[in-house]
């Protein structure tokens, strides 16, 4: 929960819930959800019950739709017509939201949009669950919009940056192209912390949990994380980091190939426009050296972004470095900025 002080966002309260069970099962169980949320609200300094939420990815489909708009049609009418062709009978039982995609070379009749599609019954059940938990949902939005808001808040003076933002999850990650303050495209990729840790575990014949511990401790490229570890000499530490890098490099190479395909697509959509910077959020972004390894594989500068850059905590009890899960922080922070930033 954010508030404004002296023209800058301050973190009023922040908390996450560590949960390893069946997430969808809990989302369908208002009793369990109420207990989880109630505990957080009772032990942290959140004020009020208004909330911004995002539909669980299991319930949501993001589609990149290209359509034609005639002179006597509104944007919504033209998009609805295109969706009828694409979704058929599914359209009548769906909740639809969209973000216009408008590259610099706007064509007068051709349009495109990032469209969010969710079954109406799932949306109503989710809203009812939030209300059962004592919350008042003021908005539902999609992850790419929250990420755009967060990135724009990090550099409010820039309106023309051409960025690729990668938000790493555990099993899947999301690549969003931001063209100034517009979302040009969003793509899901089968890459995440679990794939990297599983590959490391297989190579070292250890458990995925132990592999994750090694990733956190040593990183994947360059200087190790735990420089003050008295039990490990620096040369040995560097050797371990290099060994990890050698093991995970093929996985990152596949990701780099997907990124290059996306760069080619972006150039075609913008008539030669080029991504200038890659920003990393989420799970793998918190592993030391991820940005360095990707920077080596790509010809574009890669930088890890702290979602709380430039923010201050209003209360000393708010410990930002302890928040988990790592992949959810960027989207949650972007949603908390809703109504506080120019990009509402």
């Amino acid at each position: 929960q954010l508030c404004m002080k002296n023209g800058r966002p301050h973190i009023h309260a922040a908390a996450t819930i560590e949960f390893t069970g069946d997430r969808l099962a809990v989302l369908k169980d208002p009793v369990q959800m109420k207990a989880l949320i109630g505990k957080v609200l009772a032990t942290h300094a959140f004020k009020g019950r208004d909330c911004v939420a995002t539909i669980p990815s299991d319930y949501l489909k993001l589609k990149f739709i290209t359509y034609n708009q005639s002179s006597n049609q509104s944007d919504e009418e033209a998009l609805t017509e295109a969706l009828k062709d694409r979704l058929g009978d599914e359209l009548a039982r769906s909740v639809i939201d969209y973000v216009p995609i408008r590259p610099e070379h706007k064509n007068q009749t051709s349009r495109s949009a990032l469209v969010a599609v969710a079954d109406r019954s799932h949306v109503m059940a989710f809203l009812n669950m939030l209300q059962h938990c004592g919350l008042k949902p003021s908005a539902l939005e999609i992850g790419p919009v929250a990420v755009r808001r967060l990135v724009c808040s990090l550099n409010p003076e820039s309106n023309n940056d051409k960025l690729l933002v990668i938000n790493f999850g555990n099993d899947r990650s999301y690549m969003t192209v931001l063209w100034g303050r517009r979302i040009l495209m969003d793509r899901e990729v089968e890459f995440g912390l679990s794939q990297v840790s599983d590959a490391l575990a297989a190579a070292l014949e250890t458990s995925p949990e132990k592999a994750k511990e090694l990733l956190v401790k040593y990183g994947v490229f360059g200087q190790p994380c735990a420089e003050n570890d008295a039990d490990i000499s620096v040369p040995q530490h560097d050797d371990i980091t290099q060994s990890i890098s050698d093991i995970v490099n093929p996985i990152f190479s596949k990701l780099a190939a997907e990124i290059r395909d996306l760069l080619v697509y972006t150039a075609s959509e913008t008539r030669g426009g080029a991504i200038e910077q890659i920003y990393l959020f989420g799970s793998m972004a918190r592993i030391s050296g991820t940005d360095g390894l990707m920077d080596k594989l790509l010809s574009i500068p890669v930088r890890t972004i702290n979602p709380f850059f430039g923010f201050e905590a209003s209360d000393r009890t708010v410990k930002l470095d302890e928040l988990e899960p790592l992949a959810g922080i960027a989207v949650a922070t972007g949603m908390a900025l809703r109504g506080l930033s120019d990009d509402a």
Side-chain angles (χ1 to χ4, degrees), residues 90-103:
E90 183 184 351
L91 181 61
R93 58 178 185 271
S94 298
V95 174
I96 307 291
D97 199 1
Y98 75 100
V99 179
I101 307 296
R102 302 188 188 281

Side-chain angles (χ1 to χ4, degrees), residues 268-310:
S268 67
E269 285 293 300
T270 57
R271 294 187 179 177
I275 298 294
E276 299 166 346
Q277 177 84 49
I278 297 175
Y279 285 158
L280 307 182
F281 290 110
S283 58
M284 280 306 305
R286 296 299 182 91
I287 302 298
S288 175
T290 296
D291 48 6
L293 182 55
M294 292 185 62
D295 193 88
K296 180 182 177 182
L297 293 170
L298 298 164
S299 58
I300 300 172
V302 180
R303 180 184 176 193
T304 296
I305 292 294
N306 177 0
F308 303 124
F309 177 80

Side-chain angles (χ1 to χ4, degrees), residues 59-195:
Y59 297 155
L60 188 68
K61 297 176 184 177
L62 293 181
K63 300 176 180 291
F64 186 72
I65 303 290
T66 300
Y67 58 100
N68 292 318
Q69 179 182 357
S70 62
S71 57
N72 60 345
Q73 280 183 313
S74 68
D75 208 38
E76 291 81 1
E77 290 171 339
L79 179 57
T80 299
E81 190 173 295
L83 287 172
K84 287 179 181 177
D85 294 335
R86 179 73 71 92
L87 299 178
D89 294 339
E90 183 184 351
L91 181 61
R93 58 178 185 271
S94 298
V95 174
I96 307 291
D97 199 1
Y98 75 100
V99 179
I101 307 296
R102 302 188 188 281
E104 292 177 351
H105 71 288
K106 290 190 296 184
N107 184 290
Q108 294 301 310
T109 59
S110 180
R111 295 285 186 267
S112 57
L114 179 65
V115 181
V117 182
D119 188 282
R120 189 181 303 276
S121 63
H122 290 155
V123 174
M124 296 307 299
F126 184 65
L127 289 172
N128 289 336
M129 183 273 296
L130 293 176
Q131 292 172 339
H132 180 83
C133 295
L135 300 174
K136 299 177 181 178
S138 58
L140 293 177
E141 66 178 16
I142 59 175
V145 173
V147 169
R148 177 187 64 182
R149 186 182 300 115
L150 176 59
V151 170
C152 290
S153 76
L154 298 177
N155 190 11
E157 303 301 321
S158 177
N159 293 315
N160 298 308
D161 289 342
K162 298 173 177 61
L163 309 172
L164 169 60
V165 180
I166 303 178
N167 189 26
F168 292 110
N170 189 52
D171 300 307
R172 293 172 292 182
S173 300
Y174 301 89
M175 302 192 296
T176 305
V177 176
L178 300 178
W179 215 252
R181 291 181 176 268
R182 300 184 299 272
I183 298 174
L184 181 60
M185 72 168 299
D186 184 81
R187 179 178 296 177
E188 177 184 300
V189 291
E190 296 294 326
F191 179 94
L193 178 59
S194 63
Q195 285 90 337

Side-chain angles (χ1 to χ4, degrees), residues 20-62:
T20 57
D22 187 335
R23 185 173 57 88
L24 270 182
V26 173
L27 285 170
K28 295 176 181 178
D29 186 342
V31 175
Q32 287 193 63
M33 281 297 295
K34 186 174 183 178
L36 290 171
I37 293 176
K39 181 179 179 181
V40 170
L41 295 179
T43 54
H44 293 79
F46 291 99
K47 289 185 177 180
R49 292 296 182 264
D50 291 337
C51 74
V52 178
T54 182
I55 293 289
S57 58
D58 307 80
Y59 297 155
L60 188 68
K61 297 176 184 177
L62 293 181

